[in-house]
Amino acid sequence: MSRSAFLSQTAPDCPPSLIAQAATGPAPRVAIARAGAELPMMAAKDATEAGIMTPIFVGEEDAIKAEADTLNWDISGYAIHNTNGEADAANTAAALCGSDEADVLMKGHLHTDMFMKGVLTRDNGLRTASRLVHVFHITPPGRDEPLLVSDAAVNVTPDIKTRQACTQAVVDLARARGIERPKVAFLSATESAIPSVPSSIEAQELCDWATAEIDGADFSGPLAMDLILSPEAVATKGLTDNPVAGRADCIVVPDIVSGNAIFKSLVYMGGGCAGGVVMGAKVPVLLTSRADPPAARMASAALAAILTRK
């Protein structure tokens, strides 16, 4: 089999059920930091037409209007905040969310570090007592319910406290998506807590903490990836009485490398549709990427809309 045949070449559509759920209430006001570029404007147009976004454009006004004209999109009914450069756009968009003039913050055409600096600057009003964590939402082919993975984008080597925040975040998002009793797995390379694999010890610690502190969900860890997703592997290893093994809704990973590898493997090899959202700020934060296909940007916007109704 050739590499091109092995890797998924056809971008999947955003699940209609996700869009339908996101469109059940008022479209949230989304402040788009430095919106005047092709990809953020396309994402905003698609989400607006789907009824899951009311855009607030932040950036160079001439560039925003030029991109809208290219898309044949009349944006005369939407607010534009004229700014100059990345820092000005990031701070202006974040401050709109901090002052309750917008419900969601979305990254446009600017560097991620500059965008996140706007989120973290206390004067912009987005900081809370919670840690910032990123959750990927993946809908694998042939599966109706999503698989959530945290944290694969923001926290590089999260400590136990941060992974506790990740655990609460995936449970909250799973419930928001309609999963009444989420099943959460703590990833390691083994199903036994052994000192030679530090992540397995930490997974056991996290599992014990979550079981004691978070009601209405099931937790298991450590679990290797096959035991998280494969009922066949679960049966072979005699773990059929485990409520999470082989049927997890959520995965909490030990570091960004393992989480990022899982997420991208599911997308590029499995062909799943993925979106993502940063949780823990005053509003949902969307870290869109130039590599994201339209369906991924739509899925991210839908997740943010759903979270604004919690």
Side-chain angles (χ1 to χ4, degrees):
M1 179 184 294
S2 68
R3 183 176 67 175
S4 61
F6 178 60
L7 297 178
S8 176
Q9 297 296 303
T10 303
D13 292 331
C14 183
S17 61
L18 178 61
I19 300 298
Q21 184 184 358
T24 56
R29 301 163 298 171
V30 181
I32 307 167
R34 208 152 191 243
E38 180 183 12
L39 292 181
M41 289 297 288
M42 287 177 60
K45 183 175 186 289
D46 290 345
T48 300
E49 291 177 346
I52 61 174
M53 177 187 293
T54 300
I56 299 174
F57 301 107
V58 180
E60 290 79 5
E61 185 171 0
D62 289 346
I64 291 168
K65 289 181 175 178
E67 290 294 338
D69 288 344
T70 299
L71 296 171
N72 295 315
W73 185 19
D74 179 6
I75 61 170
S76 59
Y78 303 113
I80 300 176
H81 293 259
N82 187 37
T83 59
N84 183 24
E86 293 191 1
D88 192 11
N91 285 315
T92 299
L96 287 169
C97 295
S99 61
D100 297 323
E101 296 176 68
D103 309 302
V104 177
L105 179 63
M106 175 178 161
K107 176 178 173 286
H109 188 61
L110 74 169
H111 290 89
T112 299
D113 58 348
M114 186 63 70
F115 175 73
M116 291 305 296
K117 186 176 180 181
V119 176
L120 296 171
T121 298
R122 290 193 179 276
D123 288 347
N124 291 334
L126 290 184
R127 296 287 296 273
T128 71
S130 301
R131 285 169 166 80
L132 294 181
V133 299
H134 188 277
V135 181
F136 275 117
H137 174 288
I138 306 166
T139 309
R143 177 175 168 138
D144 293 329
E145 294 183 332
L147 178 67
L148 308 181
V149 179
S150 183
D151 183 319
V154 170
N155 294 289
V156 178
T157 53
D159 59 17
I160 291 293
K161 287 290 187 182
T162 301
R163 275 179 278 167
Q164 289 175 353
C166 291
T167 304
Q168 186 66 66
V170 294
V171 169
D172 289 345
L173 184 54
R175 287 175 177 158
R177 282 288 286 119
I179 301 173
E180 293 185 4
R181 189 175 182 90
K183 296 176 171 53
V184 182
F186 298 96
L187 176 70
S188 185
T190 173
E191 68 272 21
S192 301
I194 54 178
S196 59
V197 184
S199 64
S200 70
I201 301 295
E202 294 171 350
Q204 181 66 70
E205 180 182 343
L206 285 163
C207 184
D208 292 343
W209 171 85
T211 300
E213 298 294 330
I214 302 177
D215 295 329
D218 295 314
F219 304 95
S220 184
L223 287 175
M225 194 64 186
D226 58 340
L227 294 176
I228 290 175
L229 295 180
S230 171
E232 292 79 9
V234 170
T236 298
K237 294 191 176 183
L239 294 178
T240 53
D241 60 343
N242 186 306
V244 176
R247 47 195 170 183
D249 302 302
C250 315
I251 306 173
V252 176
V253 302
D255 56 51
I256 197 170
V257 174
S258 55
N260 202 268
I262 289 170
F263 155 67
K264 289 180 179 175
S265 295
L266 289 170
V267 171
Y268 288 97
M269 297 179 187
C273 175
V277 62
V278 177
M279 302 172 64
K282 181 179 179 179
V283 302
V285 176
L286 301 182
L287 279 175
T288 53
S289 167
R290 288 175 297 172
D292 288 341
R297 295 193 292 269
M298 182 73 82
S300 297
L303 290 173
I306 291 166
L307 286 172
T308 61
R309 304 191 192 106
K310 283 179 55 182

